[in-house]
Amino acid sequence: MYLRVIRKYLEVGKIQLLQGFQYRVNTFFLVSIIIVPPVAYFFLWKSIYSQREIISHYKLGEIITYYIISYLFLEIKPHAWWGISESIKDGRFSLYITKPINHLIFHMVMAYAYVILWWVVAISGSLFLFFIFKNYVILPQGLKPFFLSFFFAFFGGIMGYIIEYIFNILAFWIEKPFGILRFYNYIIYFFAGNLIPLDLLPFKKFFLSLPFKYISYYPAVIFIGKVQNINILGELITLFFWILLFFLISQIIFYFGRKYYSAPGSV
Amino acid sequence: MAFRADVIFEILTGLSVTAFTFIFFEVIYSYVQSIGGFDKGQIYILAGTVYLMSNLYRTFFGFSIFSLSVLVRRGRLEKYLIRPLDPKILVALREPRFDNLYRLPSYLTFFIYGFYLTKTLPGITDFLLYIISFIISFFIYLFLHYNLTLLTFWIIEVSNLYYIIYDLYEFSRYPEKIYKGFFRTFFMTIIPVIILSNYPVKFLFGEGKMEYLFYQIILLMIFFSVFKLMWKEGIKRYEGATI
């Protein structure tokens, strides 16, 4: 029975994967989002480090690597794009009500399948940056931090997707939900540590207690070896707790939202 | 105001962007006195200029130019080609997004705080030159976007290509002196994103030169010529589907 359920979602994923390959060139163009901001940050921080050797506990190489990796992790996270909220607003959501699927998992499988090609492009973009900044970047000390950082980024990405999904399904109540989604995207950029490492911020304990750190800050600092005495199990349990919590919240909101839904327009 | 929640979140987005930028530079300037010759007040004025330009572009042209590729792909462009107005302007102005304007007041705080920190206000001449330089930069920025989007006549789906300019605009956020070597040359000439904000603010700081304006005008003319050529050739390739 479980196999049948999994196969159902895999089929959806397969179709979406093929669709992702349809516009390959377009996917390639997106690589600028991986390359450009870290290059700009490189020049900014290089200028800053020309005046000081160390900022807090970061050396130049660490901060450059941090930006490359944190941008990679932020951008390879699949998005719960506006299509979900749009479908609620224009009535296409009615198509999903009658299907034996979990709305969140259905869209998440589609999103992950769609970005597989993008992962290849994005990782290539980061490797390119490692090459051009080879005199500055640092590599993880061994395979453990390397795999751990990707592991945390993967599950952090799932958590990020669920939060974004929650913002999307607020469309059941909000007339025009795009403002809230744009707002979320700006918030996540800062709280995930992509503008500046969270431990450089004032009130860092507050920022580090939020779940958003698992999206890019935390995996990136593991990568550059800043958390060597890490309580991996404890952090992992915390991350899974957040995933579970947001999943439950999403299901509760979805349950009430579906009751509120009035199927506007036509299918 | 029909979409109150949307308006509230637009305002909150503007406030967040402003707050995060302030936090970012406050942290950096707690370690150093200047970046690329810019003190804290100057960097906020630069940031204000960057956000103002980007916001005005998104308000009046952003979505319209971005969605040109959709019109071409679906064969709906003739709707604009047959009207008794220049289609180049019509396409660019057809869907302004005035909700972006709700963010504007929060971006203006960069100027207020920046001038408060620098403790000097520009003279009228410098201010007027800033406005002129800003307008030229704005149109260069516009044509950078438009020209890339026009590639849609040759490549079916270019929506992601369009984001490249938004990404490259990152370079305009910081003082030009921090950039060195190939990147500096490239982003001052071929895709001149560094000058978009840096040249206008130089006039506000009393460091502007007429050569800057002259260079901006030359760049604008080049990008405009490329735009006209690409439009002309692109339209020849266009195949409509329906109206």
Side-chain angles (χ1 to χ4, degrees), chain B:
Chain B
M1 292 295 283
F3 305 110
R4 283 183 294 276
D6 198 55
V7 170
I8 290 166
F9 280 104
E10 278 301 332
I11 294 168
L12 282 176
T13 303
L15 289 172
S16 307
V17 172
T18 308
F20 298 157
T21 307
F22 273 121
I23 294 170
F24 178 64
F25 284 120
E26 287 297 324
V27 169
I28 287 177
Y29 277 94
S30 69
Y31 293 102
V32 293
Q33 292 297 312
S34 76
I35 303 169
F38 278 39
D39 60 29
K40 197 157 68 172
Q42 290 174 318
I43 209 89
Y44 285 134
I45 294 167
L46 180 72
T49 302
V50 167
Y51 286 120
L52 181 65
M53 192 179 300
S54 165
N55 191 269
L56 290 175
Y57 173 75
R58 282 170 191 256
T59 301
F60 295 104
F61 302 103
F63 186 77
S64 307
I65 291 178
F66 168 72
S67 56
L68 171 65
S69 72
V70 179
L71 289 180
V72 173
R73 199 168 66 242
R74 294 184 181 167
R76 301 279 167 87
L77 184 62
E78 56 266 40
K79 199 166 110 183
Y80 300 95
L81 295 177
I82 58 171
R83 292 188 184 176
L85 278 169
D86 189 336
K88 296 188 276 297
I89 299 170
L90 205 56
V91 164
L93 280 169
R94 73 187 192 285
E95 280 188 73
R97 292 288 167 103
F98 292 113
D99 49 354
N100 281 302
L101 287 177
Y102 292 116
R103 297 185 200 176
L104 213 52
S106 57
Y107 295 156
L108 294 178
T109 57
F110 286 117
F111 291 97
I112 297 166
Y113 189 55
F115 282 120
Y116 168 76
L117 289 176
T118 54
K119 294 182 172 54
T120 48
L121 283 172
I124 291 176
T125 315
D126 282 338
F127 183 70
L128 286 175
L129 287 171
Y130 166 79
I131 299 287
I132 294 167
S133 180
F134 181 91
I135 292 169
I136 299 170
S137 281
F138 180 82
F139 280 101
I140 294 172
Y141 185 55
L142 168 70
F143 287 119
L144 278 171
H145 276 288
Y146 217 158
N147 291 352
L148 266 186
T149 311
L150 285 178
L151 288 175
T152 193
F153 288 115
W154 288 269
I155 306 166
I156 299 167
E157 174 61 280
V158 290
S159 59
N160 290 339
L161 186 64
Y162 179 84
Y163 290 113
I164 288 179
I165 299 299
Y166 278 131
D167 294 335
L168 292 176
Y169 195 54
E170 186 78 30
F171 283 93
S172 66
R173 293 179 205 279
Y174 311 117
E176 59 145 308
K177 279 184 188 163
I178 67 168
Y179 301 106
K180 306 271 188 268
F182 166 78
F183 287 100
R184 181 184 170 82
T185 311
F186 188 80
F187 292 119
M188 297 276 287
T189 52
I190 311 293
I191 302 180
V193 279
I194 295 175
I195 70 153
L196 292 180
S197 58
N198 272 276
Y199 278 13
V201 295
K202 278 178 190 287
F203 289 103
L204 289 181
F205 305 151
E207 298 166 12
K209 294 176 189 166
M210 293 316 285
E211 294 96 272
Y212 295 153
L213 276 181
F214 186 62
Y215 182 56
Q216 282 183 289
I217 291 166
I218 290 174
L219 284 175
L220 180 60
M221 285 164 61
I222 293 169
F223 281 107
F224 181 65
S225 306
V226 171
F227 165 71
K228 283 192 78 169
L229 184 70
M230 284 182 76
W231 180 275
K232 194 177 152 197
E233 295 303 315
I235 288 295
K236 285 182 193 166
R237 292 179 58 89
Y238 173 68
E239 293 174 16
T242 176
I243 290 180

Side-chain angles (χ1 to χ4, degrees), chain A residues 16-142:
Chain A
Q16 202 60 25
L17 178 67
L18 292 172
Q19 206 173 327
F21 274 87
Q22 198 179 352
Y23 297 117
R24 292 176 298 274
V25 177
N26 197 39
T27 304
F28 178 76
F29 291 145
L30 210 54
V31 77
S32 69
I33 206 163
I34 294 288
I35 293 176
V36 174
V39 172
Y41 280 121
F42 166 79
F43 285 107
L44 174 72
W45 285 97
K46 197 162 181 286
S47 160
I48 294 164
Y49 276 91
S50 67
Q51 302 167 58
R52 286 177 73 110
E53 205 170 301
I54 194 159
I55 300 284
S56 185
H57 55 100
Y58 287 96
K59 291 178 184 162
L60 177 62
E62 290 169 337
I63 207 97
I64 301 300
T65 313
Y66 174 86
Y67 276 105
I68 297 172
I69 292 299
S70 66
Y71 258 86
L72 174 69
F73 289 150
L74 180 76
E75 297 302 338
I76 60 174
K77 176 180 76 66
H79 288 283
W81 284 121
W82 301 354
I84 295 172
S85 50
E86 269 176 5
S87 72
I88 294 169
K89 296 293 20 145
D90 65 19
R92 277 179 293 127
F93 173 75
S94 306
L95 289 169
Y96 299 107
I97 294 179
T98 52
K99 287 180 182 162
I101 51 163
N102 178 295
H103 190 253
L104 165 63
I105 295 174
F106 177 79
H107 282 284
M108 191 151 67
V109 169
M110 285 212 299
Y112 269 89
Y114 193 76
V115 295
I116 286 175
L117 174 65
W118 165 232
W119 283 353
V120 176
V121 175
I123 290 169
S124 308
S126 292
L127 288 174
F128 173 71
L129 286 177
F130 269 76
F131 175 73
I132 60 170
F133 297 133
K134 58 181 180 290
N135 295 331
Y136 298 94
V137 292
I138 55 163
L139 294 172
Q141 303 292 312

Side-chain angles (χ1 to χ4, degrees), chain A residues 178-198:
Chain A
F178 309 124
I180 196 170
L181 286 167
R182 272 196 292 266
F183 175 66
Y184 168 75
N185 276 322
Y186 280 105
I187 290 286
I188 206 82
Y189 176 71
F190 180 77
F191 284 92
N194 287 84
L195 186 61
I196 192 162
L198 296 177

